[in-house]
Amino acid sequence: MISERRFAHSYTSFWNQVLPRVDSYLRRVNCVYERYDEEIPFRISSHRDRRGIVNELGFRLFAESATCGPVSDDRVKALAESVRQYVEHLSNATDGVAKGPVDEQEIKESMVIAGSLSHYFQSTPTSELVFSPQFPGCGILDAVKADILHGIELFEVKAGDRSFRVTDIRQVLVYCCLDFASKKYGVKTVVLLNPRRGTFFRTTVSELVRECSGTTSVDFFSTVIEFISTEPNSR
Protein backbone atom coordinates (compact mmCIF):
# COMPACT_ATOMS: atom_id res chain seq x y z
CA MET A 1 0.00 0.00 0.00
CA ILE A 2 1.22 3.52 -0.78
CA SER A 3 0.21 7.04 0.17
CA GLU A 4 -1.54 9.49 -2.12
CA ARG A 5 1.57 11.68 -2.09
CA ARG A 6 3.79 8.87 -3.30
CA PHE A 7 1.28 7.98 -6.00
CA ALA A 8 1.08 11.63 -7.13
CA HIS A 9 4.87 11.94 -7.28
CA SER A 10 5.52 8.66 -9.08
CA TYR A 11 3.93 6.57 -11.85
CA THR A 12 4.94 9.30 -14.29
CA SER A 13 4.08 7.35 -17.43
CA PHE A 14 0.57 6.67 -16.19
CA TRP A 15 -0.03 10.30 -15.22
CA ASN A 16 1.29 11.54 -18.55
CA GLN A 17 -1.12 9.21 -20.30
CA VAL A 18 -4.24 10.17 -18.34
CA LEU A 19 -3.46 13.90 -17.91
CA PRO A 20 -2.03 14.96 -21.28
CA ARG A 21 -3.13 18.60 -20.86
CA VAL A 22 -2.13 19.19 -17.26
CA ASP A 23 1.01 21.22 -17.99
CA SER A 24 -0.77 23.78 -20.12
CA TYR A 25 -3.63 23.93 -17.63
CA LEU A 26 -1.23 24.51 -14.75
CA ARG A 27 0.37 27.43 -16.57
CA ARG A 28 -3.05 29.04 -16.78
CA VAL A 29 -3.75 28.32 -13.12
CA ASN A 30 -0.57 30.09 -12.07
CA CYS A 31 -1.57 33.11 -14.14
CA VAL A 32 -5.14 33.46 -12.92
CA TYR A 33 -5.06 32.43 -9.24
CA GLU A 34 -6.61 34.94 -6.85
CA ARG A 35 -4.93 36.75 -3.97
CA TYR A 36 -6.63 37.13 -0.59
CA ASP A 37 -3.70 38.19 1.64
CA GLU A 38 -0.15 39.49 1.61
CA GLU A 39 2.74 37.11 1.03
CA ILE A 40 4.61 35.82 4.08
CA PRO A 41 8.41 35.74 3.60
CA PHE A 42 10.52 32.94 5.03
CA ARG A 43 12.31 34.18 8.13
CA ILE A 44 13.78 30.88 9.20
CA SER A 45 16.17 28.25 7.82
CA SER A 46 15.88 27.46 4.12
CA HIS A 47 16.26 23.75 4.91
CA ARG A 48 13.34 21.79 3.55
CA ASP A 49 12.59 19.99 6.82
CA ARG A 50 12.53 23.20 8.88
CA ARG A 51 10.21 24.84 6.34
CA GLY A 52 8.04 21.74 6.49
CA ILE A 53 7.82 21.99 10.26
CA VAL A 54 6.75 25.64 10.09
CA ASN A 55 4.15 25.03 7.37
CA GLU A 56 2.63 21.96 9.03
CA LEU A 57 2.57 23.64 12.44
CA GLY A 58 0.79 26.63 10.93
CA PHE A 59 -1.92 24.36 9.56
CA ARG A 60 -2.33 22.48 12.86
CA LEU A 61 -2.49 25.70 14.85
CA PHE A 62 -5.29 26.93 12.61
CA ALA A 63 -7.14 23.62 12.90
CA GLU A 64 -6.73 23.62 16.68
CA SER A 65 -7.98 27.19 17.10
CA ALA A 66 -10.88 26.59 14.72
CA THR A 67 -12.08 23.50 16.59
CA CYS A 68 -11.10 24.26 20.19
CA GLY A 69 -10.68 28.02 20.48
CA PRO A 70 -7.55 29.93 21.61
CA VAL A 71 -4.44 27.77 21.80
CA SER A 72 -2.44 28.00 25.04
CA ASP A 73 1.35 28.38 25.05
CA ASP A 74 1.77 24.88 26.45
CA ARG A 75 -0.47 23.46 23.73
CA VAL A 76 1.50 25.34 21.06
CA LYS A 77 4.72 23.77 22.33
CA ALA A 78 3.13 20.32 22.41
CA LEU A 79 1.88 20.71 18.83
CA ALA A 80 5.30 21.97 17.76
CA GLU A 81 7.03 18.89 19.12
CA SER A 82 4.41 16.59 17.59
CA VAL A 83 4.92 18.23 14.19
CA ARG A 84 8.71 18.06 14.53
CA GLN A 85 8.50 14.31 15.18
CA TYR A 86 6.09 13.91 12.25
CA VAL A 87 8.43 15.71 9.83
CA GLU A 88 11.44 13.83 11.16
CA HIS A 89 9.65 10.54 10.51
CA LEU A 90 8.85 11.53 6.92
CA SER A 91 12.23 13.09 6.17
CA ASN A 92 14.65 11.47 3.75
CA ALA A 93 17.47 13.75 4.90
CA THR A 94 20.38 12.26 6.82
CA ASP A 95 21.71 15.50 8.28
CA GLY A 96 19.47 15.41 11.34
CA VAL A 97 18.18 18.94 10.85
CA ALA A 98 14.64 17.88 11.79
CA LYS A 99 15.87 16.65 15.17
CA GLY A 100 16.35 20.16 16.54
CA PRO A 101 13.57 21.61 18.72
CA VAL A 102 11.15 24.11 17.21
CA ASP A 103 12.38 27.57 18.22
CA GLU A 104 10.42 30.72 18.99
CA GLN A 105 11.00 32.26 15.56
CA GLU A 106 9.63 29.17 13.85
CA ILE A 107 6.60 29.16 16.13
CA LYS A 108 5.96 32.85 15.38
CA GLU A 109 6.10 32.21 11.65
CA SER A 110 3.74 29.26 12.03
CA MET A 111 1.30 31.54 13.82
CA VAL A 112 1.41 33.97 10.92
CA ILE A 113 0.54 31.14 8.53
CA ALA A 114 -2.30 30.10 10.84
CA GLY A 115 -3.48 33.71 10.78
CA SER A 116 -3.46 33.70 6.98
CA LEU A 117 -5.66 30.60 6.94
CA SER A 118 -7.97 32.21 9.48
CA HIS A 119 -8.23 35.25 7.21
CA TYR A 120 -9.16 33.10 4.23
CA PHE A 121 -11.92 31.29 6.14
CA GLN A 122 -13.15 34.35 8.02
CA SER A 123 -16.56 34.23 6.31
CA THR A 124 -16.99 30.50 6.94
CA PRO A 125 -18.30 29.22 10.28
CA THR A 126 -15.40 27.16 11.61
CA SER A 127 -17.89 24.63 12.98
CA GLU A 128 -18.65 23.70 9.38
CA LEU A 129 -15.01 22.89 8.52
CA VAL A 130 -13.90 19.27 8.59
CA PHE A 131 -10.15 18.93 9.16
CA SER A 132 -8.26 15.93 7.83
CA PRO A 133 -11.27 14.28 6.16
CA GLN A 134 -10.49 10.64 5.51
CA PHE A 135 -11.05 8.84 2.23
CA PRO A 136 -11.17 5.02 2.11
CA GLY A 137 -8.29 3.31 0.34
CA CYS A 138 -8.59 1.55 -3.00
CA GLY A 139 -6.24 -0.92 -4.64
CA ILE A 140 -2.63 0.08 -3.99
CA LEU A 141 -3.73 3.28 -2.23
CA ASP A 142 -4.04 3.24 1.52
CA ALA A 143 -6.75 5.22 3.28
CA VAL A 144 -5.78 8.90 3.10
CA LYS A 145 -6.51 12.19 4.81
CA ALA A 146 -6.94 15.42 2.90
CA ASP A 147 -6.62 18.89 4.47
CA ILE A 148 -10.00 20.59 4.82
CA LEU A 149 -13.54 19.86 3.68
CA HIS A 150 -16.42 22.31 3.73
CA GLY A 151 -19.61 20.72 2.50
CA ILE A 152 -18.79 19.47 -0.99
CA GLU A 153 -15.74 21.72 -1.37
CA LEU A 154 -12.28 20.23 -0.79
CA PHE A 155 -9.27 22.39 0.15
CA GLU A 156 -5.69 21.33 -0.49
CA VAL A 157 -3.29 23.54 1.48
CA LYS A 158 0.22 24.10 0.10
CA ALA A 159 2.22 26.58 2.17
CA GLY A 160 5.49 26.55 0.23
CA ASP A 161 7.05 29.65 -1.29
CA ARG A 162 6.18 28.50 -4.80
CA SER A 163 3.55 28.38 -7.49
CA PHE A 164 1.15 25.46 -7.70
CA ARG A 165 2.64 22.30 -9.20
CA VAL A 166 1.50 19.37 -11.31
CA THR A 167 1.83 17.09 -8.30
CA ASP A 168 -0.63 19.32 -6.41
CA ILE A 169 -3.22 18.73 -9.10
CA ARG A 170 -2.49 15.00 -9.19
CA GLN A 171 -2.88 14.78 -5.42
CA VAL A 172 -6.21 16.57 -5.29
CA LEU A 173 -7.45 14.39 -8.14
CA VAL A 174 -6.50 11.31 -6.14
CA TYR A 175 -8.74 12.51 -3.30
CA CYS A 176 -11.55 13.15 -5.77
CA CYS A 177 -11.06 9.71 -7.30
CA LEU A 178 -11.29 8.01 -3.90
CA ASP A 179 -14.36 10.08 -3.13
CA PHE A 180 -15.88 8.98 -6.45
CA ALA A 181 -15.14 5.35 -5.63
CA SER A 182 -16.48 5.50 -2.08
CA LYS A 183 -19.28 8.04 -2.66
CA LYS A 184 -18.46 9.34 0.81
CA TYR A 185 -18.57 13.14 0.52
CA GLY A 186 -19.69 13.96 -3.02
CA VAL A 187 -16.93 16.52 -3.60
CA LYS A 188 -17.85 18.90 -6.42
CA THR A 189 -15.38 21.77 -5.99
CA VAL A 190 -11.66 21.88 -5.18
CA VAL A 191 -9.49 24.75 -3.97
CA LEU A 192 -5.71 24.94 -4.07
CA LEU A 193 -4.81 27.26 -1.19
CA ASN A 194 -1.41 28.72 -0.34
CA PRO A 195 -1.50 30.64 2.96
CA ARG A 196 2.15 31.69 2.68
CA ARG A 197 1.64 33.39 -0.66
CA GLY A 198 -1.91 34.44 0.17
CA THR A 199 -3.28 32.88 -3.02
CA PHE A 200 -5.92 30.37 -4.03
CA PHE A 201 -7.45 28.77 -7.09
CA ARG A 202 -10.96 27.35 -7.13
CA THR A 203 -12.55 25.14 -9.79
CA THR A 204 -15.11 22.38 -10.14
CA VAL A 205 -14.02 18.76 -10.20
CA SER A 206 -15.60 18.25 -13.60
CA GLU A 207 -13.78 21.23 -15.12
CA LEU A 208 -10.46 20.23 -13.57
CA VAL A 209 -10.74 16.73 -14.99
CA ARG A 210 -11.93 17.91 -18.39
CA GLU A 211 -9.20 20.53 -18.76
CA CYS A 212 -6.40 18.20 -17.66
CA SER A 213 -7.49 14.91 -19.19
CA GLY A 214 -9.79 15.84 -22.06
CA THR A 215 -12.41 13.39 -20.82
CA THR A 216 -15.29 13.20 -18.36
CA SER A 217 -14.94 12.72 -14.62
CA VAL A 218 -16.59 9.30 -14.78
CA ASP A 219 -14.23 8.07 -17.50
CA PHE A 220 -11.14 9.56 -15.83
CA PHE A 221 -11.86 8.25 -12.35
CA SER A 222 -12.81 4.84 -13.74
CA THR A 223 -9.44 4.67 -15.51
CA VAL A 224 -7.55 5.60 -12.35
CA ILE A 225 -9.49 3.09 -10.25
CA GLU A 226 -8.82 0.35 -12.76
CA PHE A 227 -5.10 1.14 -12.71
CA ILE A 228 -4.69 1.18 -8.92
CA SER A 229 -6.83 -1.94 -8.57
CA THR A 230 -5.03 -4.18 -11.05
CA GLU A 231 -3.18 -7.12 -9.52
CA PRO A 232 0.33 -6.32 -10.92
CA ASN A 233 0.20 -2.87 -9.30
CA SER A 234 -1.36 -4.11 -6.07
CA ARG A 235 1.48 -6.42 -5.08
Side-chain angles (χ1 to χ4, degrees):
M1 304 292 281
I2 62 173
S3 70
E4 79 283 14
R5 289 179 177 82
R6 181 180 172 188
F7 183 50
H9 283 80
S10 56
Y11 295 92
T12 305
S13 296
F14 169 74
W15 286 116
N16 289 341
Q17 179 182 354
V18 297
L19 298 176
R21 304 177 181 180
V22 68
D23 290 328
S24 60
Y25 180 73
L26 184 63
R27 285 193 290 271
R28 297 201 303 274
V29 168
N30 284 319
C31 288
V32 302
Y33 59 68
E34 299 179 67
R35 180 171 297 280
Y36 72 91
D37 206 350
E38 296 181 359
E39 188 165 352
I40 303 170
F42 275 110
R43 298 183 179 88
I44 46 88
S45 170
S46 60
H47 193 283
R48 176 180 178 180
D49 286 346
R50 303 311 298 189
R51 295 198 308 269
I53 290 171
V54 168
N55 294 339
E56 178 66 18
L57 180 56
F59 175 79
R60 294 199 191 183
L61 286 171
F62 169 64
E64 183 89 359
S65 63
T67 55
C68 303
V71 186
S72 68
D73 291 344
D74 287 344
R75 181 57 179 160
V76 169
K77 292 177 181 178
L79 283 172
E81 176 57 19
S82 175
V83 168
R84 187 203 64 74
Q85 293 178 11
Y86 169 75
V87 172
E88 181 184 7
H89 175 73
L90 293 179
S91 175
N92 293 321
T94 58
D95 51 19
V97 170
K99 293 182 179 296
V102 184
D103 62 33
E104 288 300 318
Q105 188 60 52
E106 290 171 326
I107 289 176
K108 288 180 180 178
E109 190 165 326
S110 298
M111 288 179 171
V112 177
I113 291 175
S116 176
L117 287 166
S118 180
H119 182 193
Y120 179 85
F121 288 102
Q122 62 183 334
S123 299
T124 305
T126 54
S127 61
E128 297 179 1
L129 298 178
V130 178
F131 293 93
S132 303
Q134 185 164 332
F135 295 87
C138 180
I140 59 173
L141 286 178
D142 205 348
V144 303
K145 292 181 179 179
D147 288 329
I148 303 173
L149 185 73
H150 179 227
I152 57 174
E153 189 164 55
L154 183 67
F155 296 84
E156 176 63 17
V157 179
K158 299 294 183 183
D161 184 20
R162 61 172 177 80
S163 301
F164 298 120
R165 296 175 178 171
V166 167
T167 49
D168 299 337
I169 292 179
R170 291 178 184 174
Q171 188 173 337
V172 79
L173 283 173
V174 171
Y175 297 136
C176 293
C177 180
L178 294 177
D179 184 57
F180 172 84
S182 65
K183 297 178 174 58
K184 186 172 184 179
Y185 300 112
V187 174
K188 299 297 182 184
T189 308
V190 295
V191 179
L192 295 175
L193 174 60
N194 189 324
R196 179 173 293 279
R197 303 191 76 186
T199 58
F200 71 95
F201 176 77
R202 174 183 283 106
T203 186
T204 64
V205 174
S206 59
E207 180 179 343
L208 179 62
V209 170
R210 183 177 65 252
E211 292 293 328
C212 293
S213 71
T215 187
T216 66
S217 297
V218 172
D219 288 344
F220 173 76
F221 292 142
S222 297
T223 298
V224 176
I225 291 170
E226 180 180 4
F227 177 79
I228 62 178
S229 300
T230 54
E231 184 176 355
N233 294 308
S234 300
R235 292 173 180 171

